[in-house]
């Protein structure tokens, strides 16, 4: 038994299918299945029931799942103890974003190699937990405004606070090959007829799991996803050379204006994504974290 097997099993239970777990962990479905079957063989009992709709844990699997989550959480906490001297480090967790990558590059250029950078990417829940566990000093996230009260309630119990920086709309990014390139906006009713890419880790996309933040603004199940990728290069090339488009935050960071890609406003879409960072209010932010959050505010 190893941690990777427990992680594959846990993610498969959370996602409800082996294919979704594979996509989440950037591996193949056979690899996920192979690891879980190896775990089942070692334990001598079935952990998952498999059917055409996906997978779900057996009664025994539910018990193993509880312990697996505790083990993985404890492992993450232990790993955080290996971080070098906090006085000379920047530790943060964020949603996946090319803009964050650029921000960290600027940090390195300013502060030099004498400062250790530890960066984790993940969904809001993962980012929050990293700050709660002390793995990261700050966590940069976006949250739908309708979700903010619930989010604040969760943070209250974890003794954390959310510092909002800005509120953004969503838009549709298109390139010169797209039939809508010469218009300035689209209606919500137009979206189901367009071709989208999903699972994209870059500044054009909604970063991760739009369905978890849309809160009724748009039903992503009605959208047609033709490409799933985590490659910035493929994303940019598809936008530049095909009729595939991408949902994204409605602002273009200046260094990215070199691309012949434009945002189309979605008519009737009000700003609803609140962007900010999570911190422990009982700990003063380091000079590095203060610089980073202020620079990020200016970028927005």
């Amino acid at each position: 038994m190893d941690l990777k097997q427990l992680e594959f099993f846990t993610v498969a239970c959370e996602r409800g299918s082996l294919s979704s777990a594979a996509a989440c962990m950037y591996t193949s479905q056979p690899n996920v299945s192979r690891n879980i079957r190896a775990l089942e063989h070692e334990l001598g009992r079935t952990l998952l029931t498999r059917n055409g709709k996906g997978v779900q844990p057996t009664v025994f699997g539910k018990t193993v799942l509880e312990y697996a989550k505790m083990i993985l959480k404890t492992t993450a906490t232990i790993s955080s103890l290996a971080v070098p001297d906090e006085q000379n480090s920047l530790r943060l967790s964020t949603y996946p974003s090319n803009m964050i990558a650029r921000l960290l590059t600027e940090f390195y250029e300013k502060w030099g190699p004498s400062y250790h950078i530890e960066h984790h990417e993940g969904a809001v829940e993962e980012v929050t937990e990293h700050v709660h566990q002390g793995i990261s000093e700050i966590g940069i996230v976006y949250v739908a405004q309708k979700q903010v009260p619930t989010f604040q309630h969760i943070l209250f119990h974890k003794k954390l606070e959310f510092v909002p920086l800005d509120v953004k709309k969503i838009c549709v990014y298109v390139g010169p090959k797209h039939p809508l390139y010469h218009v300035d906006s689209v209606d919500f009713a137009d979206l189901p007829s367009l071709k989208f890419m999903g699972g994209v880790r870059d500044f054009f996309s909604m970063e991760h799991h739009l369905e978890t933040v849309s809160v009724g603004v748009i039903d992503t199940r009605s959208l047609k996803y033709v490409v799933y990728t985590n490659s910035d290069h493929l994303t940019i090339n598809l936008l530049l050379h095909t009729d595939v488009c991408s949902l994204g935050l409605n602002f273009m960071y200046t260094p990215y204006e070199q691309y012949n890609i434009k945002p189309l406003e979605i008519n009737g879409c009000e700003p609803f994504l609140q962007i900010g960072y999570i911190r422990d209010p009982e700990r003063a932010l380091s000079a590095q974290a203060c610089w980073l959050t202020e620079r990020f505010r200016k970028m927005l």
Side-chain angles (χ1 to χ4, degrees):
M1 181 187 309
D2 58 39
L3 292 175
K4 184 58 68 175
Q5 291 174 337
L6 296 178
E7 188 175 5
F8 281 135
F9 170 62
T10 300
V11 174
C13 290
E14 292 174 346
R15 298 292 173 175
S17 79
L18 300 181
S19 59
S20 294
C24 179
M25 299 186 70
Y26 312 111
T27 186
S28 66
Q29 180 175 332
N31 188 38
V32 173
S33 180
R34 183 166 53 253
N35 274 273
I36 294 176
R37 289 194 181 282
L39 182 60
E40 289 177 322
H41 178 74
E42 183 172 348
L43 295 176
R45 298 177 67 176
T46 302
L47 297 174
L48 295 175
T49 56
R50 300 160 173 85
N51 53 55
K53 295 183 179 180
V55 297
Q56 60 182 13
T58 61
V59 174
F60 175 67
K62 290 179 180 179
T63 301
V64 174
L65 179 61
E66 292 181 10
Y67 286 109
K69 287 181 177 180
M70 288 190 290
I71 291 171
L72 294 173
K73 182 178 179 179
T74 302
T75 301
T77 302
I78 293 174
S79 297
S80 70
L81 301 178
V83 176
D85 184 2
E86 294 184 6
Q87 298 300 317
N88 294 316
S89 67
L90 173 69
R91 298 173 295 110
L92 77 159
S93 295
T94 73
Y95 59 83
S97 169
N98 206 16
M99 186 174 67
I100 297 296
R102 176 58 186 165
L103 184 63
L104 290 175
T105 301
E106 291 183 12
F107 176 88
Y108 181 84
E109 291 171 345
K110 176 177 175 60
W111 295 87
S114 58
Y115 285 87
H116 171 80
I117 299 175
E118 181 174 348
H119 177 225
H120 301 273
E121 289 185 343
V124 173
E125 296 83 357
E126 296 171 294
V127 173
T128 301
E129 192 60 27
H130 281 177
V131 178
H132 176 59
Q133 294 176 358
I135 295 173
S136 297
E137 182 180 5
I138 57 173
I140 296 177
V141 298
Y142 62 79
V143 185
Q145 285 187 295
K146 290 184 179 180
Q147 288 183 327
V148 170
T150 301
F151 184 54
Q152 295 281 23
H153 182 72
I154 294 173
L155 294 182
F156 174 79
H157 287 285
K158 294 181 179 291
K159 297 182 179 180
L160 302 175
E161 72 171 342
F162 175 64
V163 181
L165 297 177
D166 204 351
V167 181
K168 296 293 183 184
K169 298 180 181 181
I170 60 172
C171 68
V172 176
Y173 279 99
V174 297
K177 299 290 186 178
H178 198 282
L180 297 180
Y181 185 73
H182 299 291
V183 304
D184 295 321
S185 64
V186 295
D187 295 325
F188 278 109
D190 297 327
L191 300 185
S193 65
L194 304 179
K195 301 173 185 176
F196 287 94
M197 40 184 141
V200 186
R201 293 181 157 207
D202 81 329
F203 52 91
F204 297 115
S205 75
M206 289 304 299
E207 269 71 31
H208 255 344
H209 313 303
L210 178 65
E211 66 273 11
T212 66
V213 299
S214 60
V215 196
V217 174
I218 177 174
D219 184 356
T220 55
R221 290 173 298 181
S222 68
L223 301 184
K224 182 180 181 181
Y225 286 94
V226 296
V227 177
Y228 290 88
T229 180
N230 296 306
S231 167
D232 292 341
H233 299 293
L234 179 57
T235 299
I236 293 172
N237 275 277
L238 284 172
L239 288 172
L240 288 175
H241 305 296
T242 75
D243 61 350
V244 177
C245 57
S246 176
L247 282 171
L249 298 178
N250 193 9
F251 75 101
M252 183 73 80
Y253 180 45
T254 303
Y256 302 140
E257 292 176 351
Q258 60 181 301
Y259 300 113
N260 195 17
I261 296 168
K262 63 181 288 188
L264 304 182
E265 183 176 345
I266 302 176
N267 297 321
C269 180
E270 298 296 326
F272 77 100
L273 279 177
Q274 196 163 77
I275 302 175
Y277 63 92
I278 305 164
R279 57 164 297 189
D280 181 348
E282 296 185 358
R283 297 184 60 184
L285 291 181
S286 65
Q288 302 91 282
C290 287
W291 179 90
L292 188 102
T293 54
E294 184 57 32
R295 180 71 184 114
F296 187 56
R297 186 195 303 271
K298 292 178 180 177
M299 290 173 71
L300 294 173

